[in-house]
Amino acid sequence: MFRPLLVMTLIPLQTLAITNVEEKRRASDSDGWLNTATLGFDAQSGNTKEREWNLGLNTSWQNAEHRAFGWYTRSYESVNDERTSDNTFAHLRYVRNFRAPVGQETFLQYERDPFAELQYRFLAGLGVRFQKNWGDDQLVRQGVGAFHESIKEDNGAGQEEAQLTRLNLYTHGETPLGYSHLLGTVYLQPSIDDTDDVRALARFTLRLPLASSTDLNWQWQTRWDSRPPQGAEELNHKTQLSLAIRF
């Protein structure tokens, strides 16, 4: 079944070094394929000519023992015909469920954001996921793993490449809250090669259903990077309000 998803963002979020995989996991337990697509375009003319478009594709397949999902996003922005933003992101993940609460995960990820001084970032990793459910809409998920990271950044004096290995630790929870649904995820990714190099992300989402196919989402997140790219802050806070319509 193909089910597109239209998302109208009121307050945008930047692409982050740590990506919240939990938002892309399939909530439904039904077998087979499920796909979503997002497409957005903004244009402004007059004193300033602005163009912005974004594309997102999310696909998944699963049965009782095997789950695979991936997503791809691309966003582009220009001001007076001059490119000001050009981001690319792709992620592919395979999950093997050995028992109901335990699964093994393997993933590949690629990012590129030259306007944030990131020429590329490639990850290859694996880990173990533990999950505890209470009913159909309440759960806690804990992940433990590691990944190898290849990264190339501009540091102001030229381009710098690095190869390192990071631990990947995360905790995710979901619970009903009145008529809404609360989701929270915390990531910690310390470098094994250099213990002073640590990244962390915390994100909380409040999802309020407005109709059978419409949700209003409010999201808050904070990101910490002990060694950010040149010109970037160690600690960043972001918020987002979005309307999601399934059709």
Side-chain angles (χ1 to χ4, degrees), residues 174-190:
E174 301 180 16
T175 185
L177 185 64
Y179 293 103
S180 62
H181 205 70
L182 180 64
L183 302 87
T185 310
V186 177
Y187 278 88
L188 183 64
Q189 295 180 344

mmCIF file with all atom_site columns, all heavy atoms in Angstrom, residues 174-190:
data_model
loop_
_atom_site.group_PDB
_atom_site.id
_atom_site.type_symbol
_atom_site.label_atom_id
_atom_site.label_alt_id
_atom_site.label_comp_id
_atom_site.label_asym_id
_atom_site.label_entity_id
_atom_site.label_seq_id
_atom_site.pdbx_PDB_ins_code
_atom_site.Cartn_x
_atom_site.Cartn_y
_atom_site.Cartn_z
_atom_site.occupancy
_atom_site.B_iso_or_equiv
_atom_site.pdbx_formal_charge
_atom_site.auth_seq_id
_atom_site.auth_comp_id
_atom_site.auth_asym_id
_atom_site.auth_atom_id
_atom_site.pdbx_PDB_model_num
ATOM 1   N N   . GLU A 1 174 ? 7.463   6.026  24.269 1.00 0.00 ? 174 GLU A N   1
ATOM 2   C CA  . GLU A 1 174 ? 6.203   6.548  23.742 1.00 0.00 ? 174 GLU A CA  1
ATOM 3   C C   . GLU A 1 174 ? 5.097   6.239  24.742 1.00 0.00 ? 174 GLU A C   1
ATOM 4   O O   . GLU A 1 174 ? 5.045   5.144  25.311 1.00 0.00 ? 174 GLU A O   1
ATOM 5   C CB  . GLU A 1 174 ? 5.859   5.904  22.397 1.00 0.00 ? 174 GLU A CB  1
ATOM 6   C CG  . GLU A 1 174 ? 6.888   6.104  21.308 1.00 0.00 ? 174 GLU A CG  1
ATOM 7   C CD  . GLU A 1 174 ? 6.489   5.446  19.999 1.00 0.00 ? 174 GLU A CD  1
ATOM 8   O OE1 . GLU A 1 174 ? 5.287   5.105  19.842 1.00 0.00 ? 174 GLU A OE1 1
ATOM 9   O OE2 . GLU A 1 174 ? 7.353   5.258  19.128 1.00 0.00 ? 174 GLU A OE2 1
ATOM 10  N N   . THR A 1 175 ? 4.198   7.217  24.949 1.00 0.00 ? 175 THR A N   1
ATOM 11  C CA  . THR A 1 175 ? 3.089   7.013  25.885 1.00 0.00 ? 175 THR A CA  1
ATOM 12  C C   . THR A 1 175 ? 1.937   7.950  25.554 1.00 0.00 ? 175 THR A C   1
ATOM 13  O O   . THR A 1 175 ? 2.164   9.076  25.082 1.00 0.00 ? 175 THR A O   1
ATOM 14  C CB  . THR A 1 175 ? 3.554   7.249  27.335 1.00 0.00 ? 175 THR A CB  1
ATOM 15  O OG1 . THR A 1 175 ? 2.486   6.928  28.230 1.00 0.00 ? 175 THR A OG1 1
ATOM 16  C CG2 . THR A 1 175 ? 3.989   8.688  27.553 1.00 0.00 ? 175 THR A CG2 1
ATOM 17  N N   . PRO A 1 176 ? 0.698   7.521  25.768 1.00 0.00 ? 176 PRO A N   1
ATOM 18  C CA  . PRO A 1 176 ? -0.432  8.433  25.596 1.00 0.00 ? 176 PRO A CA  1
ATOM 19  C C   . PRO A 1 176 ? -0.399  9.520  26.670 1.00 0.00 ? 176 PRO A C   1
ATOM 20  O O   . PRO A 1 176 ? 0.064   9.299  27.792 1.00 0.00 ? 176 PRO A O   1
ATOM 21  C CB  . PRO A 1 176 ? -1.654  7.527  25.772 1.00 0.00 ? 176 PRO A CB  1
ATOM 22  C CG  . PRO A 1 176 ? -1.144  6.136  25.655 1.00 0.00 ? 176 PRO A CG  1
ATOM 23  C CD  . PRO A 1 176 ? 0.269   6.160  26.108 1.00 0.00 ? 176 PRO A CD  1
ATOM 24  N N   . LEU A 1 177 ? -0.873  10.699 26.313 1.00 0.00 ? 177 LEU A N   1
ATOM 25  C CA  . LEU A 1 177 ? -0.955  11.815 27.247 1.00 0.00 ? 177 LEU A CA  1
ATOM 26  C C   . LEU A 1 177 ? -2.261  12.551 26.976 1.00 0.00 ? 177 LEU A C   1
ATOM 27  O O   . LEU A 1 177 ? -2.319  13.446 26.137 1.00 0.00 ? 177 LEU A O   1
ATOM 28  C CB  . LEU A 1 177 ? 0.247   12.750 27.100 1.00 0.00 ? 177 LEU A CB  1
ATOM 29  C CG  . LEU A 1 177 ? 0.342   13.894 28.116 1.00 0.00 ? 177 LEU A CG  1
ATOM 30  C CD1 . LEU A 1 177 ? 0.538   13.325 29.521 1.00 0.00 ? 177 LEU A CD1 1
ATOM 31  C CD2 . LEU A 1 177 ? 1.492   14.823 27.762 1.00 0.00 ? 177 LEU A CD2 1
ATOM 32  N N   . GLY A 1 178 ? -3.318  12.144 27.671 1.00 0.00 ? 178 GLY A N   1
ATOM 33  C CA  . GLY A 1 178 ? -4.637  12.692 27.391 1.00 0.00 ? 178 GLY A CA  1
ATOM 34  C C   . GLY A 1 178 ? -5.085  12.290 25.998 1.00 0.00 ? 178 GLY A C   1
ATOM 35  O O   . GLY A 1 178 ? -5.054  11.113 25.636 1.00 0.00 ? 178 GLY A O   1
ATOM 36  N N   . TYR A 1 179 ? -5.468  13.274 25.170 1.00 0.00 ? 179 TYR A N   1
ATOM 37  C CA  . TYR A 1 179 ? -5.852  13.003 23.794 1.00 0.00 ? 179 TYR A CA  1
ATOM 38  C C   . TYR A 1 179 ? -4.653  12.967 22.852 1.00 0.00 ? 179 TYR A C   1
ATOM 39  O O   . TYR A 1 179 ? -4.808  12.685 21.667 1.00 0.00 ? 179 TYR A O   1
ATOM 40  C CB  . TYR A 1 179 ? -6.839  14.067 23.301 1.00 0.00 ? 179 TYR A CB  1
ATOM 41  C CG  . TYR A 1 179 ? -8.172  14.013 24.007 1.00 0.00 ? 179 TYR A CG  1
ATOM 42  C CD1 . TYR A 1 179 ? -8.494  14.936 24.986 1.00 0.00 ? 179 TYR A CD1 1
ATOM 43  C CD2 . TYR A 1 179 ? -9.111  13.029 23.695 1.00 0.00 ? 179 TYR A CD2 1
ATOM 44  C CE1 . TYR A 1 179 ? -9.719  14.894 25.645 1.00 0.00 ? 179 TYR A CE1 1
ATOM 45  C CE2 . TYR A 1 179 ? -10.332 12.967 24.343 1.00 0.00 ? 179 TYR A CE2 1
ATOM 46  C CZ  . TYR A 1 179 ? -10.633 13.907 25.319 1.00 0.00 ? 179 TYR A CZ  1
ATOM 47  O OH  . TYR A 1 179 ? -11.833 13.856 25.965 1.00 0.00 ? 179 TYR A OH  1
ATOM 48  N N   . SER A 1 180 ? -3.478  13.257 23.361 1.00 0.00 ? 180 SER A N   1
ATOM 49  C CA  . SER A 1 180 ? -2.282  13.336 22.530 1.00 0.00 ? 180 SER A CA  1
ATOM 50  C C   . SER A 1 180 ? -1.365  12.140 22.786 1.00 0.00 ? 180 SER A C   1
ATOM 51  O O   . SER A 1 180 ? -1.675  11.253 23.580 1.00 0.00 ? 180 SER A O   1
ATOM 52  C CB  . SER A 1 180 ? -1.534  14.650 22.797 1.00 0.00 ? 180 SER A CB  1
ATOM 53  O OG  . SER A 1 180 ? -1.106  14.705 24.144 1.00 0.00 ? 180 SER A OG  1
ATOM 54  N N   . HIS A 1 181 ? -0.203  12.154 22.116 1.00 0.00 ? 181 HIS A N   1
ATOM 55  C CA  . HIS A 1 181 ? 0.789   11.091 22.257 1.00 0.00 ? 181 HIS A CA  1
ATOM 56  C C   . HIS A 1 181 ? 2.147   11.747 22.432 1.00 0.00 ? 181 HIS A C   1
ATOM 57  O O   . HIS A 1 181 ? 2.521   12.632 21.653 1.00 0.00 ? 181 HIS A O   1
ATOM 58  C CB  . HIS A 1 181 ? 0.786   10.190 21.015 1.00 0.00 ? 181 HIS A CB  1
ATOM 59  C CG  . HIS A 1 181 ? 1.295   8.810  21.273 1.00 0.00 ? 181 HIS A CG  1
ATOM 60  N ND1 . HIS A 1 181 ? 0.601   7.885  22.031 1.00 0.00 ? 181 HIS A ND1 1
ATOM 61  C CD2 . HIS A 1 181 ? 2.433   8.179  20.882 1.00 0.00 ? 181 HIS A CD2 1
ATOM 62  C CE1 . HIS A 1 181 ? 1.291   6.755  22.085 1.00 0.00 ? 181 HIS A CE1 1
ATOM 63  N NE2 . HIS A 1 181 ? 2.407   6.920  21.394 1.00 0.00 ? 181 HIS A NE2 1
ATOM 64  N N   . LEU A 1 182 ? 2.898   11.325 23.432 1.00 0.00 ? 182 LEU A N   1
ATOM 65  C CA  . LEU A 1 182 ? 4.204   11.909 23.737 1.00 0.00 ? 182 LEU A CA  1
ATOM 66  C C   . LEU A 1 182 ? 5.301   10.925 23.356 1.00 0.00 ? 182 LEU A C   1
ATOM 67  O O   . LEU A 1 182 ? 5.255   9.755  23.736 1.00 0.00 ? 182 LEU A O   1
ATOM 68  C CB  . LEU A 1 182 ? 4.298   12.245 25.223 1.00 0.00 ? 182 LEU A CB  1
ATOM 69  C CG  . LEU A 1 182 ? 5.611   12.875 25.703 1.00 0.00 ? 182 LEU A CG  1
ATOM 70  C CD1 . LEU A 1 182 ? 5.817   14.237 25.058 1.00 0.00 ? 182 LEU A CD1 1
ATOM 71  C CD2 . LEU A 1 182 ? 5.622   12.995 27.226 1.00 0.00 ? 182 LEU A CD2 1
ATOM 72  N N   . LEU A 1 183 ? 6.302   11.424 22.610 1.00 0.00 ? 183 LEU A N   1
ATOM 73  C CA  . LEU A 1 183 ? 7.445   10.622 22.200 1.00 0.00 ? 183 LEU A CA  1
ATOM 74  C C   . LEU A 1 183 ? 8.720   11.327 22.648 1.00 0.00 ? 183 LEU A C   1
ATOM 75  O O   . LEU A 1 183 ? 8.838   12.552 22.523 1.00 0.00 ? 183 LEU A O   1
ATOM 76  C CB  . LEU A 1 183 ? 7.495   10.423 20.686 1.00 0.00 ? 183 LEU A CB  1
ATOM 77  C CG  . LEU A 1 183 ? 6.299   9.756  19.999 1.00 0.00 ? 183 LEU A CG  1
ATOM 78  C CD1 . LEU A 1 183 ? 5.230   10.780 19.639 1.00 0.00 ? 183 LEU A CD1 1
ATOM 79  C CD2 . LEU A 1 183 ? 6.757   9.032  18.733 1.00 0.00 ? 183 LEU A CD2 1
ATOM 80  N N   . GLY A 1 184 ? 9.683   10.564 23.156 1.00 0.00 ? 184 GLY A N   1
ATOM 81  C CA  . GLY A 1 184 ? 10.953  11.135 23.578 1.00 0.00 ? 184 GLY A CA  1
ATOM 82  C C   . GLY A 1 184 ? 12.108  10.219 23.217 1.00 0.00 ? 184 GLY A C   1
ATOM 83  O O   . GLY A 1 184 ? 12.000  8.994  23.334 1.00 0.00 ? 184 GLY A O   1
ATOM 84  N N   . THR A 1 185 ? 13.218  10.817 22.762 1.00 0.00 ? 185 THR A N   1
ATOM 85  C CA  . THR A 1 185 ? 14.401  10.057 22.383 1.00 0.00 ? 185 THR A CA  1
ATOM 86  C C   . THR A 1 185 ? 15.645  10.780 22.858 1.00 0.00 ? 185 THR A C   1
ATOM 87  O O   . THR A 1 185 ? 15.749  12.000 22.708 1.00 0.00 ? 185 THR A O   1
ATOM 88  C CB  . THR A 1 185 ? 14.489  9.870  20.857 1.00 0.00 ? 185 THR A CB  1
ATOM 89  O OG1 . THR A 1 185 ? 13.247  9.373  20.360 1.00 0.00 ? 185 THR A OG1 1
ATOM 90  C CG2 . THR A 1 185 ? 15.600  8.900  20.496 1.00 0.00 ? 185 THR A CG2 1
ATOM 91  N N   . VAL A 1 186 ? 16.595  10.037 23.414 1.00 0.00 ? 186 VAL A N   1
ATOM 92  C CA  . VAL A 1 186 ? 17.879  10.588 23.843 1.00 0.00 ? 186 VAL A CA  1
ATOM 93  C C   . VAL A 1 186 ? 18.989  9.741  23.239 1.00 0.00 ? 186 VAL A C   1
ATOM 94  O O   . VAL A 1 186 ? 18.975  8.510  23.363 1.00 0.00 ? 186 VAL A O   1
ATOM 95  C CB  . VAL A 1 186 ? 18.016  10.606 25.380 1.00 0.00 ? 186 VAL A CB  1
ATOM 96  C CG1 . VAL A 1 186 ? 19.390  11.112 25.783 1.00 0.00 ? 186 VAL A CG1 1
ATOM 97  C CG2 . VAL A 1 186 ? 16.921  11.470 26.004 1.00 0.00 ? 186 VAL A CG2 1
ATOM 98  N N   . TYR A 1 187 ? 19.930  10.392 22.550 1.00 0.00 ? 187 TYR A N   1
ATOM 99  C CA  . TYR A 1 187 ? 21.079  9.730  21.938 1.00 0.00 ? 187 TYR A CA  1
ATOM 100 C C   . TYR A 1 187 ? 22.365  10.191 22.619 1.00 0.00 ? 187 TYR A C   1
ATOM 101 O O   . TYR A 1 187 ? 22.493  11.365 22.979 1.00 0.00 ? 187 TYR A O   1
ATOM 102 C CB  . TYR A 1 187 ? 21.195  10.089 20.456 1.00 0.00 ? 187 TYR A CB  1
ATOM 103 C CG  . TYR A 1 187 ? 20.317  9.300  19.530 1.00 0.00 ? 187 TYR A CG  1
ATOM 104 C CD1 . TYR A 1 187 ? 19.028  9.724  19.249 1.00 0.00 ? 187 TYR A CD1 1
ATOM 105 C CD2 . TYR A 1 187 ? 20.777  8.145  18.907 1.00 0.00 ? 187 TYR A CD2 1
ATOM 106 C CE1 . TYR A 1 187 ? 18.209  9.021  18.374 1.00 0.00 ? 187 TYR A CE1 1
ATOM 107 C CE2 . TYR A 1 187 ? 19.971  7.428  18.039 1.00 0.00 ? 187 TYR A CE2 1
ATOM 108 C CZ  . TYR A 1 187 ? 18.690  7.876  17.773 1.00 0.00 ? 187 TYR A CZ  1
ATOM 109 O OH  . TYR A 1 187 ? 17.892  7.168  16.920 1.00 0.00 ? 187 TYR A OH  1
ATOM 110 N N   . LEU A 1 188 ? 23.325  9.275  22.738 1.00 0.00 ? 188 LEU A N   1
ATOM 111 C CA  . LEU A 1 188 ? 24.680  9.596  23.203 1.00 0.00 ? 188 LEU A CA  1
ATOM 112 C C   . LEU A 1 188 ? 25.658  8.834  22.317 1.00 0.00 ? 188 LEU A C   1
ATOM 113 O O   . LEU A 1 188 ? 25.585  7.617  22.209 1.00 0.00 ? 188 LEU A O   1
ATOM 114 C CB  . LEU A 1 188 ? 24.864  9.197  24.666 1.00 0.00 ? 188 LEU A CB  1
ATOM 115 C CG  . LEU A 1 188 ? 26.213  9.551  25.295 1.00 0.00 ? 188 LEU A CG  1
ATOM 116 C CD1 . LEU A 1 188 ? 26.391  11.071 25.336 1.00 0.00 ? 188 LEU A CD1 1
ATOM 117 C CD2 . LEU A 1 188 ? 26.332  8.957  26.693 1.00 0.00 ? 188 LEU A CD2 1
ATOM 118 N N   . GLN A 1 189 ? 26.602  9.590  21.683 1.00 0.00 ? 189 GLN A N   1
ATOM 119 C CA  . GLN A 1 189 ? 27.543  8.980  20.741 1.00 0.00 ? 189 GLN A CA  1
ATOM 120 C C   . GLN A 1 189 ? 28.968  9.436  21.056 1.00 0.00 ? 189 GLN A C   1
ATOM 121 O O   . GLN A 1 189 ? 29.516  10.328 20.397 1.00 0.00 ? 189 GLN A O   1
ATOM 122 C CB  . GLN A 1 189 ? 27.170  9.341  19.302 1.00 0.00 ? 189 GLN A CB  1
ATOM 123 C CG  . GLN A 1 189 ? 25.835  8.761  18.863 1.00 0.00 ? 189 GLN A CG  1
ATOM 124 C CD  . GLN A 1 189 ? 25.477  9.122  17.427 1.00 0.00 ? 189 GLN A CD  1
ATOM 125 O OE1 . GLN A 1 189 ? 26.059  10.027 16.839 1.00 0.00 ? 189 GLN A OE1 1
ATOM 126 N NE2 . GLN A 1 189 ? 24.507  8.426  16.876 1.00 0.00 ? 189 GLN A NE2 1
ATOM 127 N N   . PRO A 1 190 ? 29.614  8.846  22.060 1.00 0.00 ? 190 PRO A N   1
ATOM 128 C CA  . PRO A 1 190 ? 31.018  9.173  22.351 1.00 0.00 ? 190 PRO A CA  1
ATOM 129 C C   . PRO A 1 190 ? 31.959  8.451  21.391 1.00 0.00 ? 190 PRO A C   1
ATOM 130 O O   . PRO A 1 190 ? 31.687  7.332  20.948 1.00 0.00 ? 190 PRO A O   1
ATOM 131 C CB  . PRO A 1 190 ? 31.196  8.662  23.783 1.00 0.00 ? 190 PRO A CB  1
ATOM 132 C CG  . PRO A 1 190 ? 30.217  7.533  23.891 1.00 0.00 ? 190 PRO A CG  1
ATOM 133 C CD  . PRO A 1 190 ? 29.042  7.900  23.022 1.00 0.00 ? 190 PRO A CD  1
#
